[in-house]
Amino acid sequence: MGHLISSKAHLVPLIDRLNRYPVGLVDNEKLREILALLFSEEEASIAARFPLSEATADELSTLTEIPVDALLPKLEQMADKGLVVDTPCGDTTYWMLMPGLIGFFEFTFMKKRTDLPMAELARLMHEYLHEVRPGQAEEFFGSPTQLTRALTYEDKAPVTSKITSWEDARQIVRDAEFGAAGTCFCRHQKEHLGQTCRKEAPVDGICIALGAGAQFLARRGFMEEKSTDELLAILDTARSYSLTHVTDNIREKPSFICNCCSCCCELMTGIQMGFPDGVAKTPFLVNVDQAACTLCGRCIKACNVAGINPSREAQTVRVDEKVCLGCGACLDACPEGALHLVERNKRPKPPRNKGLMFVRILKEKNRLMPVIKAEVAKNLKQLIRK
């Protein structure tokens, strides 16, 4: 590890700071090359001094020892690059450093940009996530509580089953206060690697953000604001390509819905790399009508996690229950109607409020911040009078 200490040493404080998030970044040469391309030395120094909670420009000025007037343009530039999040609250703006994953790694490829060497970044990020083992894949997918979860095509669920609001992609969209859509960062990254989606799924306007995170992404040009009807149409488009809906592993106010394929999506690839529990599953499993199956193989191609495999001895297919997400993306691929969803023996239940997108949590905190500060000031005055 000695060579790492002297390689881009100015990034060490930034890496230490990023590793205070639930999902850290494994330090190696690939990571340092990525960070050196995304952060200038000055930006890395500023980012390293961010507290874990949100902060005002005045507070960051104290931490960085940079005057506010000089610091604000730098923060604005970092927000435009997706390195930090800005959240207006009344007359005050709060700033927060984004994590690497899920964070500025993804944001980098959510814009069509010319200010960065995109092909080089695509190569470095791919190698960082997939080729260095043990490494970042273990860090991301090894969490005891999964950070993301799959959603079921609600119209494919058994008629005897009840779908809760947090399991229904369409209801999640309807319940959101604000929505936006934009580029699939995974497919965009693959384009810079000279690859295209085997399902020919769209790159643009296919991934969805909701709530405060969507407001930030729309404000900074990463996505475009969309109506509820437009977002529901995107879900329909995703289903026409047999894509898997993936969201935060929370019950209340999920902040995104990605529409994932087997060949480009990093989450789906992680499962195929040997992390079957890396994405939380739906309450359902795919079941095969053995008598109806003709072993045509279309469901195998449709599955986004390689959870369906041929069983030539029985002249049918078998479903790997440890891998199957129960999303329903494969069902319409079967011309014989041999696939259907059944309930799992134990119904998974996501955490109530452990979110992935920090901006969602940030909005809730910021809404209370002025009230809390006013109450503290009031109490101090009362103490002084006494």
Side-chain angles (χ1 to χ4, degrees), residues 78-130:
M78 293 173 73
D80 284 337
K81 294 167 69 174
L83 304 177
V84 301
V85 171
D86 64 316
T87 304
C89 181
D91 296 330
T92 304
T93 296
Y94 294 90
W95 303 85
M96 192 169 197
L97 177 67
M98 283 300 294
L101 291 164
I102 292 176
F104 57 75
F105 267 52
E106 289 81 4
F107 288 176
T108 297
F109 287 92
M110 288 171 64
K111 281 184 180 179
K112 307 284 185 177
R113 51 200 303 175
T114 58
D115 60 321
L116 292 171
M118 301 300 283
E120 184 178 1
L121 276 168
R123 176 186 61 81
L124 287 169
M125 288 184 181
H126 176 81
E127 292 173 355
Y128 179 66
L129 292 173
H130 298 288

Side-chain angles (χ1 to χ4, degrees), residues 61-264:
S61 175
T62 300
L63 292 169
T64 60
E65 299 182 349
I66 300 174
V68 172
D69 290 345
L71 180 62
L72 275 173
K74 304 180 194 303
L75 293 175
E76 289 286 338
Q77 180 173 305
M78 293 173 73
D80 284 337
K81 294 167 69 174
L83 304 177
V84 301
V85 171
D86 64 316
T87 304
C89 181
D91 296 330
T92 304
T93 296
Y94 294 90
W95 303 85
M96 192 169 197
L97 177 67
M98 283 300 294
L101 291 164
I102 292 176
F104 57 75
F105 267 52
E106 289 81 4
F107 288 176
T108 297
F109 287 92
M110 288 171 64
K111 281 184 180 179
K112 307 284 185 177
R113 51 200 303 175
T114 58
D115 60 321
L116 292 171
M118 301 300 283
E120 184 178 1
L121 276 168
R123 176 186 61 81
L124 287 169
M125 288 184 181
H126 176 81
E127 292 173 355
Y128 179 66
L129 292 173
H130 298 288
E131 296 181 11
V132 181
R133 303 290 297 273
Q136 192 58 42
E138 285 80 0
E139 171 71 17
F140 185 85
F141 291 108
S143 173
T145 300
Q146 298 97 328
L147 299 171
T148 61
R149 62 185 174 91
L151 297 168
T152 301
Y153 289 18
E154 76 288 337
D155 58 317
K156 304 297 184 185
V159 294
T160 56
S161 299
K162 182 179 179 181
I163 302 292
T164 65
S165 59
W166 63 75
E167 294 165 338
D168 186 341
R170 301 182 76 83
Q171 191 60 46
I172 290 171
V173 166
R174 292 190 188 101
D175 291 343
E177 297 176 359
F178 185 93
T183 299
C184 171
F185 53 83
C186 293
R187 292 186 202 105
H188 185 202
Q189 181 178 328
K190 290 290 185 177
E191 284 186 341
H192 287 285
L193 294 172
Q195 302 172 28
T196 56
C197 177
R198 291 195 295 267
K199 291 186 174 183
E200 299 182 347
V203 177
D204 298 322
I206 191 65
C207 280
I208 295 170
L210 303 166
Q215 291 176 333
F216 164 75
L217 293 168
R219 186 169 63 250
R220 291 291 173 174
F222 292 93
M223 285 188 166
E224 292 184 5
E225 181 180 356
K226 298 291 182 182
S227 68
T228 298
D229 287 343
E230 288 174 318
L231 296 176
L232 293 175
I234 290 172
L235 294 180
D236 291 337
T237 297
R239 295 182 182 192
S240 72
Y241 288 92
S242 298
L243 304 180
T244 296
H245 305 317
V246 175
T247 190
D248 308 63
N249 190 22
I250 54 172
R251 275 181 270 173
E252 299 173 359
K253 297 182 179 180
S255 62
F256 70 91
I257 298 177
C258 286
N259 295 301
C260 303
C261 61
S262 60
C263 54
C264 301

Side-chain angles (χ1 to χ4, degrees), residues 290-323:
Q290 304 289 339
C293 177
T294 61
L295 196 58
C296 69
R298 294 182 186 179
C299 61
I300 296 173
K301 293 180 180 179
C303 178
N304 292 309
V305 291
I308 305 177
N309 299 287
S311 177
R312 302 197 181 278
E313 298 83 2
Q315 289 299 300
T316 184
V317 296
R318 62 177 182 82
V319 176
D320 188 337
E321 296 186 5
K322 293 182 179 179
V323 173

